Amino acid sequence: MTVLLYCMRHIHYKNKTTLMILGLIICLGLAGCQAAYLDPGTDLVNWKYSDLRLLDPVDSLEPKQDLIALYTRKIDDSFQIRLDFLDLDSYLGNDIYIAIDTNPDSNQNRLNFSNYQNPAGFSWDYLVKINDFGRISVIDNKKTSVINQRINSVYDVYQDWLVLDFIHNRIPVYPGFTKLQAIVTKPGSPLVVDQTDPFNIDTLPPPKSKVLLVFWNTFSSVTPAQALRSWAGAHSGLMSSRHGMKYLLDDVARTYSPVFFYDFLSRENISALDYMGNDDEVTLLVSRNIINSILINKENEEVFYFEEEDKSILFIDYGYAHYFDFPYDCQQTHEYRTFEKSDAILSLSLSCKVLMISTANNPSSSLLVFGGDFALSPLGDPAVSSEVFGYISSHPWIQVLTREDLLAYPDMFSAIYAQSAVTSPTRIADSDHETQVKLKIADALSASPDNRLTQLTQSVFDDLNGQARPDLAVLRAGYLNQLGFLLKAAEWAAAPLPIQTCTLDLDFDDASECIFADQTKFLVIEPQGGYIPFFFSIDAQGVHQIIGPTWEFVVGLSDPSTWQPNLGIRADSAQILGALQNPFSEWEDYTAQIENDYIYLIDNRGAISRSFTLTADGVDIQIQTPPNATKTLIPLAVDPWTRFTPDWGKLYFLEKSNRSSTWGLHSGIRVRISSSVPISTYAFNDTFSMMSKPEDPNFDYSPGHYLPFPMAVVEVDNSDEYSISVDILPLREPATR
């Protein structure tokens, strides 16, 4: 007997310490074995659903002895048989018998085992035996060895199947007449541990096990750091391994396994994927219906529906689907497997296989749903994903449901709902003040002019008021009142006239804020904290944002254990509320005073701490601070809507020197920050060149890597007294040759 190695793609170890080999065993019978080699064109690996003949229930004590599926097919002059087991060891560990009845009722040969249940009327004309070490023998109904029949055998321990290929087949197998039966015994024992029913070699395939792949919490796109980690993160998996959407999508693309997401194809996520250079790959999978978006009707959560057929519509209005999960090991509970970090989990769990084959054998069973919270899913690990999708794609009795499958069978929607037990997350009731603020914002939005800033306000309002877990929802609510600043700016942008006042309560906190505006610039000054939350300008191209807070893009960047909702806008310690903001630990409320085209902020000692005046190009600021104050921050959010245009990551640029930085768009608005003291600047795109690669734990990422898209921050060194100029620069002229 000659043993050769048959190399397959996408094979992984079942654990990190054991290397198990896929063996190809070629034998020419009991006697006269000679060396033989597999024809490179012979396909023993790829099997179709039409080749499937039988599914057998899980009914053996040991998984390695449990036959679950059999296939047959004829290719040219070869006859092939495949046997799927529940779980194979590194060697067979069984004796396997395949009885072949080619001429019904022609003889009375029966299989004689101590506990064999002989089907009525079944006899055999040929008997194939594979012993536990892979040696193959064939005898005819006269119990004479068939020595002129070559048989190739492929044994795959990873995907749990054995294939027999009868080369130039000498056994007379005929459709409509030939029946098979498979029997498994312990090695060298007459004790049967599993047996199948007899089946015809051309019988129609049995029903499949229906599987739906559904995920949520799939991709974080607020900062470059979040985007890179959730796409191809290092040490972010369950076993500190790599983890990310890239690996799942690589395998669904490789195996053509449709997958459904609740929250992946948002415009923010597509924007981040564009920035990373991955949007074309995702768009292609969407166009092929490999990636699908599934939504829940907010009016009736039991009704599921899909996004519009137009594949160009990538921004979808997804609903309340983040708070139910399907465990990876397919147990009918809402608990995840407990993983030992010392053990690599690279195979589909046994309980999952049992549930799939049991579902296939029971047509009344509901469909199975794999997936759940992707951030916690082992399927983000490239080794696990490759193994699992390899198993699914190589076992034709598993049907991964497509978009068309779900649309064609509406009754499956109720099955999904029953399996998932979808419920809206419990939410702490809004306070009367929060309710009043929401109503005021909503009313103001409905009356606000239709312009860029109203659209921006609506988008931020939707984000802050969107569904979230209770603690995050409460945290977001603390920032809703800040939208009053944007609404006032939208009103100004519709009719840009000079404004100079410190008597308006823009954020519904019973305290006044200041507006300093002319025909081209709009500045908001918040005396509580002494900072500039927003700065806008307007020109022939339209309105532009210059300065903006981080909460405009994200709430909840800091450790949740540090959140203090009772502090309102200071509840999230990672927030930068605006330019010149006092550190939260040094928070101070100022008194505002207007005099001679200046707005002054007076501290609690009665001294002028900051002064602001508009210039032809922007705003000049004078600052007097205590000697031990921390650095002054200026968060720049230049035209943030640019991120929703193609190839937007290449449009922003930064030029900097010791006391000046210019940030903005190559062919758009730019802002120059100048100071009488040294400054430093970092931006979201500092790590642009690293975003097309997996996360590198040894690389020292810039602070800008952790800023929200598409922000930059200027840090101004502290001094007893210094000045800052924020100048809006004219558009650059196009380059000429």
Side-chain angles (χ1 to χ4, degrees):
M1 182 174 64
T2 302
V3 178
L4 304 179
L5 297 185
Y6 186 86
C7 297
M8 295 175 59
R9 294 177 298 171
H10 311 296
I11 291 177
H12 297 272
Y13 309 141
K14 284 205 169 185
N15 57 61
K16 292 182 179 179
T17 59
T18 304
L19 173 63
M20 292 185 286
I21 301 174
L22 172 66
L24 170 65
I25 306 164
I26 299 179
C27 185
L28 305 182
L30 283 174
C33 281
Q34 302 175 14
Y37 295 91
L38 184 66
D39 180 351
T42 303
D43 185 0
L44 302 182
V45 177
N46 298 306
W47 290 74
K48 300 177 181 178
Y49 175 59
S50 58
D51 302 324
L52 180 66
R53 305 292 171 230
L54 175 75
L55 290 177
D56 193 65
V58 176
D59 53 7
S60 187
L61 292 178
E62 294 188 37
K64 69 179 181 180
Q65 299 170 342
D66 206 334
L67 275 170
I68 59 173
L70 284 95
Y71 314 71
T72 63
R73 67 185 178 189
K74 295 186 71 176
I75 300 179
D76 297 328
D77 61 352
S78 291
F79 176 59
Q80 297 178 352
I81 302 172
R82 169 172 155 177
L83 301 90
D84 288 356
F85 288 82
L86 185 58
D87 194 37
L88 285 177
D89 269 336
S90 55
Y91 76 105
L92 282 178
N94 311 307
D95 287 346
I96 302 170
Y97 297 84
I98 300 175
I100 305 176
D101 183 8
T102 63
N103 189 5
D105 302 322
S106 64
N107 64 77
Q108 300 299 317
N109 285 316
R110 304 290 183 180
L111 293 170
N112 296 313
F113 297 101
S114 59
N115 60 335
Y116 172 61
Q117 299 175 6
N118 185 50
F122 183 78
S123 58
W124 57 269
D125 294 293
Y126 295 89
L127 184 63
V128 180
K129 177 183 178 182
I130 308 102
N131 73 6
D132 61 325
F133 286 102
R135 184 177 180 85
I136 303 174
S137 60
V138 184
I139 59 174
D140 60 20
N141 55 18
K142 298 178 182 179
K143 300 186 179 180
T144 302
S145 296
V146 180
I147 62 173
N148 62 345
Q149 178 63 67
R150 293 195 303 155
I151 301 177
N152 291 339
S153 171
V154 175
Y155 172 55
D156 187 347
V157 69
Y158 305 101
Q159 303 297 347
D160 304 318
W161 49 254
L162 169 69
V163 172
L164 302 178
D165 183 15
F166 294 74
I167 304 295
H168 305 300
N169 181 41
R170 307 290 183 180
I171 297 176
V173 292
Y174 302 107
F177 293 94
T178 304
K179 290 185 176 181
L180 302 183
Q181 186 186 22
I183 300 95
V184 181
T185 71
K186 290 188 174 181
S189 168
L191 181 64
V192 174
V193 293
D194 197 14
Q195 69 179 75
T196 70
D197 294 331
F199 61 93
N200 285 86
I201 64 168
D202 58 346
T203 190
L204 293 177
K208 295 181 180 183
S209 177
K210 294 179 173 61
V211 173
L212 183 67
L213 302 173
V214 181
F215 295 91
W216 56 93
N217 195 17
T218 55
F219 187 67
S220 299
S221 58
V222 174
T223 70
Q226 287 184 3
L228 187 57
R229 169 146 291 202
S230 58
W231 178 254
H235 308 310
S236 55
L238 293 178
M239 298 171 292
S240 297
S241 56
R242 285 207 169 272
H243 188 280
M245 276 295 293
K246 167 182 166 54
Y247 309 116
L248 176 71
L249 296 185
D250 283 349
D251 285 311
V252 300
R254 174 176 61 84
T255 60
Y256 298 95
S257 300
V259 62
F260 294 82
F261 297 119
Y262 285 105
D263 58 353
F264 183 52
L265 297 182
S266 70
R267 65 171 186 169
E268 288 80 10
N269 287 351
I270 295 298
S271 168
L273 292 169
D274 180 340
Y275 179 73
M276 300 169 72
N278 300 312
D279 57 319
D280 288 345
E281 172 189 352
V282 170
T283 301
L284 179 62
L285 293 178
V286 170
S287 68
R288 293 178 175 176
N289 288 341
I290 299 296
I291 290 178
N292 300 272
S293 294
I294 188 170
L295 302 89
I296 301 176
N297 190 322
K298 295 181 181 180
E299 301 299 324
N300 180 359
E301 289 187 348
E302 294 190 20
V303 178
F304 286 71
Y305 62 97
F306 295 92
E307 66 176 303
E308 297 294 331
E309 288 292 332
D310 184 357
K311 296 302 186 299
S312 66
I313 301 176
L314 295 179
F315 177 48
I316 59 174
D317 182 20
Y318 48 86
Y320 307 142
H322 296 251
Y323 300 92
F324 60 94
D325 35 275
F326 306 109
Y328 167 67
D329 63 355
C330 309
Q331 298 288 355
Q332 293 177 315
T333 66
H334 293 283
E335 299 175 359
Y336 285 98
R337 283 177 69 190
T338 299
F339 297 113
E340 297 294 335
K341 289 189 176 182
S342 60
D343 184 29
I345 308 156
L346 302 184
S347 61
L348 200 62
S349 68
L350 183 61
S351 59
C352 188
K353 298 175 189 176
V354 170
L355 189 54
M356 283 195 295
I357 194 67
S358 300
T359 301
N361 281 305
N362 182 7
S364 64
S365 298
S366 61
L367 65 100
L368 299 176
V369 185
F370 294 176
D373 186 335
F374 184 71
L376 303 176
S377 173
L379 289 174
D381 182 305
V384 176
S385 179
S386 180
E387 184 76 15
V388 169
F389 281 97
Y391 186 92
I392 290 174
S393 65
S394 67
H395 290 76
W397 52 268
I398 302 173
Q399 177 186 359
V400 180
L401 297 183
T402 67
R403 180 191 186 96
E404 288 70 26
D405 291 331
L406 289 182
L407 293 174
Y409 300 101
D411 59 316
M412 290 186 182
F413 297 141
S414 59
I416 299 170
Y417 182 76
Q419 179 80 9
S420 62
V422 181
T423 56
S424 296
T426 302
R427 167 76 189 274
I428 300 174
D430 292 338
S431 66
D432 290 341
H433 176 69
E434 288 175 1
T435 300
Q436 291 174 8
V437 169
K438 286 184 181 180
L439 291 174
K440 289 179 180 178
I441 297 294
D443 289 344
L445 273 168
S446 64
S448 189
D450 185 12
N451 59 26
R452 175 79 76 178
L453 297 188
T454 296
Q455 295 167 10
L456 176 64
T457 309
Q458 182 69 63
S459 177
V460 179
F461 177 76
D462 291 341
D463 289 342
L464 293 177
N465 200 37
Q467 199 69 22
R469 66 179 192 266
D471 56 344
L472 182 57
V474 171
L475 193 70
R476 287 176 176 175
Y479 295 87
L480 280 167
N481 62 334
Q482 303 291 290
L483 295 179
F485 300 144
L486 286 172
L487 286 167
K488 190 63 178 178
E491 178 185 319
W492 167 84
L497 296 172
I499 306 174
Q500 194 175 118
T501 180
C502 289
T503 61
L504 299 177
D505 180 11
L506 300 174
D507 58 0
F508 316 106
D509 64 350
D510 298 324
S512 296
E513 288 79 40
C514 300
I515 298 176
F516 208 166
D518 59 20
Q519 288 88 348
T520 60
K521 296 175 287 296
F522 182 91
L523 183 72
V524 179
I525 301 171
E526 172 59 273
Q528 292 184 350
Y531 64 94
I532 301 171
F534 290 101
F535 185 30
F536 298 97
S537 71
I538 196 166
D539 59 21
Q541 281 69 43
V543 68
H544 305 281
Q545 182 171 353
I546 306 299
I547 290 174
T550 50
W551 60 257
E552 179 183 339
F553 307 98
V554 61
V555 174
L557 273 176
S558 60
D559 185 339
S561 66
T562 67
W563 294 350
Q564 301 181 65
N566 59 303
L567 295 181
I569 58 175
R570 290 180 286 153
D572 180 1
S573 60
Q575 290 294 334
I576 304 175
L577 302 179
L580 319 182
Q581 164 213 306
N582 282 347
F584 291 166
S585 60
E586 302 173 19
W587 195 256
E588 184 175 351
D589 293 344
Y590 299 87
T591 301
Q593 178 179 320
I594 300 176
E595 184 178 335
N596 298 327
D597 290 331
Y598 279 85
I599 292 180
Y600 298 99
L601 295 183
I602 313 299
D603 64 21
N604 54 18
R605 299 170 298 172
I608 295 176
S609 178
R610 293 149 202 208
S611 64
F612 308 86
T613 186
L614 294 182
T615 66
D617 298 322
V619 57
D620 282 350
I621 306 166
Q622 298 291 326
I623 300 178
Q624 298 179 16
T625 60
N628 295 326
T630 56
K631 290 185 176 183
T632 296
L633 302 181
I634 304 176
L636 302 177
V638 173
D639 286 4
W641 42 84
T642 301
R643 69 173 294 192
F644 302 119
T645 59
D647 294 327
W648 68 277
K650 302 173 184 177
L651 303 180
Y652 283 91
F653 79 101
L654 172 65
E655 294 175 351
K656 55 186 178 180
S657 62
N658 185 42
R659 301 197 178 192
S660 177
S661 289
T662 300
W663 168 253
L665 300 165
H666 284 288
S667 299
I669 195 74
R670 294 171 295 141
V671 57
R672 181 175 62 221
I673 308 296
S674 306
S675 177
S676 59
V677 294
I679 65 174
S680 59
T681 305
Y682 48 91
F684 80 94
N685 61 353
D686 288 345
T687 55
F688 181 66
S689 63
M690 297 295 294
M691 295 300 290
S692 60
K693 307 171 185 176
E695 184 183 24
D696 183 351
N698 299 314
F699 183 76
D700 185 16
Y701 290 95
S702 153
H705 191 62
Y706 305 95
L707 285 176
F709 291 113
M711 294 191 74
V713 169
V714 177
E715 287 187 343
V716 184
D717 285 355
N718 180 52
S719 178
D720 290 348
E721 185 174 342
Y722 57 97
S723 62
I724 299 173
S725 295
V726 181
D727 295 322
I728 301 165
L729 304 181
L731 296 179
R732 283 184 168 180
E733 294 295 328
T736 58
R737 295 184 179 180

